């Protein structure tokens, strides 16, 4: 199977909600909810893609020689093939089409990511099975994955953390911004906004590294870190929780400046290519999460499609590193890009 065949298969299986556009930018699917669109006018989704593409440019420098390019990254005591992870996405048949179930999607991204040497985050949703199906997929994948909990009441989170610990994942995440999703009101138990004190209580309830997803300001980042987060994810939930917001690429540099060089920062939103990965790293991220394109890859080719898309990203990242004379991820610094 080729990646082009993956896209062609996905286009048939995901119609009419997702058109598998040449660029996944939120324009053609504007207003399609349930579906892949952003909230409201989809402006935040569109800005994620457009700002990164239009305003962040690579500085070409081919004087660095023909050394090998090392894309490996060490996190959670493990070394991964590239700083690329599958973002958490749930409610697959509700959001896209019933041609794929949540469990089939979880299996595809967990297995495909592992085959490519990276990790997938498990998704979630308003019902209990939306938590347990990704967790079971991670269990069957030997713990190779990261479950994502919803921002339930702290006592509910603590109970489910016991079940998370039993599958021995690398870490766990919480997408705290999911309380703003259109279907949040359907959740049982309810999804609730979190305070710094509640995040601290959650972090203290387990020895697993805690990743707080849904950070868009320096102040929010500092709160999460004070609460004991291992890492933060700069994310606006792909534009699905707030209209007329800034892009993640715009706020990433100020968040990095506020938290310092040692904090682990992941970012999602608008990352489509290996060049986009390079840009986000140069802006201050340690790694990226990618969502919608991995859904397309899973619909189009299952685990093989996920692996193929990942290998495509890795090849593009390697090419960007070659054309900017970066031998390792540590050399992808701010001077390797220009904001225009």
């Amino acid at each position: 199977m080729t990646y082009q065949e993956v896209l062609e298969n996905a286009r048939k299986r995901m119609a009419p909600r997702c058109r598998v556009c040449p660029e996944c930018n939120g324009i053609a699917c504007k207003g399609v909810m349930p579906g892949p669109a952003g909230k409201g006018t989809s402006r935040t989704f569109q800005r994620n893609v457009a700002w990164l593409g239009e305003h962040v440019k690579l500085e070409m420098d081919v004087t660095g020689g023909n050394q090998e390019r090392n894309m490996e990254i060490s996190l959670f005591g493990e070394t991964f093939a590239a700083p690329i992870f599958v973002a958490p996405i749930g409610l697959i048949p509700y959001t896209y089409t019933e041609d794929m179930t949540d469990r089939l999607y979880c299996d595809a991204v967990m297995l495909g990511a592992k085959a490519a040497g990276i990790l997938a985050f498990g998704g979630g949703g308003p019902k209990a099975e939306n938590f347990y199906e990704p967790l079971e997929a991670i269990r069957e994948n030997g713990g190779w994955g990261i479950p994502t909990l919803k921002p339930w009441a702290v006592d509910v989170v603590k109970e489910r953390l016991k079940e998370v610990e039993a599958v021995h994942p690398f870490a766990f995440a919480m997408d705290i911004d999911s309380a703003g999703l259109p279907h949040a009101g359907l959740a049982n138990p309810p999804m609730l906004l979190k305070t710094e004190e509640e995040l601290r209580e959650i972090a203290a309830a387990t020895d697993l590294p805690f990743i707080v997803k849904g950070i868009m300001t320096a102040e929010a980042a500092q709160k999460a870190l004070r609460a004991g987060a291992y890492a933060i994810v700069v994310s606006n939930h792909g534009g699905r929780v707030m209209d007329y917001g800034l892009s993640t690429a715009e706020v990433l540099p100020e968040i990095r400046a506020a938290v310092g060089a040692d904090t682990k920062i992941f970012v999602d939103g608008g990352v489509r290519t290996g060049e986009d990965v390079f840009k986000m790293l140069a802006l201050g991220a340690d790694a990226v999460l990618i969502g919608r394109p991995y859904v397309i890859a899973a619909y189009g080719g299952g685990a093989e499609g996920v692996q193929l898309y990942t290998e495509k990203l890795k090849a593009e990242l390697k090419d960007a590193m070659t054309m900017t004379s970066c031998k390792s991820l540590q050399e992808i610094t701010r001077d390797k890009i220009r904001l225009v």
Side-chain angles (χ1 to χ4, degrees), residues 202-239:
I202 292 166
T206 179
D207 290 331
L208 287 173
F210 181 21
I211 302 169
V212 179
K213 183 176 181 289
I215 300 297
M216 285 293 291
T217 67
E219 182 181 3
Q222 290 166 333
K223 288 179 180 179
L225 295 173
R226 288 197 301 263
Y230 168 87
I232 59 170
V233 184
V234 175
S235 172
N236 53 32
H237 218 98

Side-chain angles (χ1 to χ4, degrees), residues 12-33:
K12 297 172 186 174
R13 297 184 67 192
M14 301 179 80
R17 288 182 175 173
C18 177
R19 298 164 176 79
V20 189
C21 299
E23 180 182 57
C24 178
N25 56 19
I27 295 175
C29 63
K30 173 184 174 182
V32 180
M33 291 187 78

Side-chain angles (χ1 to χ4, degrees), residues 17-69:
R17 288 182 175 173
C18 177
R19 298 164 176 79
V20 189
C21 299
E23 180 182 57
C24 178
N25 56 19
I27 295 175
C29 63
K30 173 184 174 182
V32 180
M33 291 187 78
K39 190 172 183 177
T41 66
S42 223
R43 297 288 179 86
T44 305
F45 174 6
Q46 293 171 30
R47 190 176 184 92
N48 279 341
V49 179
W51 201 92
L52 186 63
E54 294 172 9
H55 295 289
V56 188
K57 304 298 182 182
L58 277 60
E59 294 273 18
M60 190 176 80
D61 176 5
V62 292
T63 63
N66 294 310
Q67 297 96 332
E68 284 298 312
R69 312 296 161 176

Side-chain angles (χ1 to χ4, degrees), residues 76-148:
F76 319 115
E78 182 69 44
T79 299
F80 302 99
I84 300 164
F85 300 105
V86 183
I89 296 182
L91 297 179
I92 293 295
Y94 173 79
T95 304
Y96 293 93
T97 68
E98 294 182 356
D99 215 31
M100 177 169 282
T101 65
D102 278 331
R103 183 54 200 270
L104 286 173
Y105 175 74
C106 292
D107 288 339
V109 294
M110 296 296 166
L111 292 170
K114 188 174 185 179
I118 66 168
L119 277 178
F121 283 64
K127 298 180 180 179
E129 59 263 32
N130 304 137
F131 165 71
Y132 288 109
E133 287 185 347
L135 197 63
E136 185 59 27
I138 294 171
R139 183 198 305 276
E140 292 188 1
N141 207 29
W144 193 275
I146 297 178
T148 304

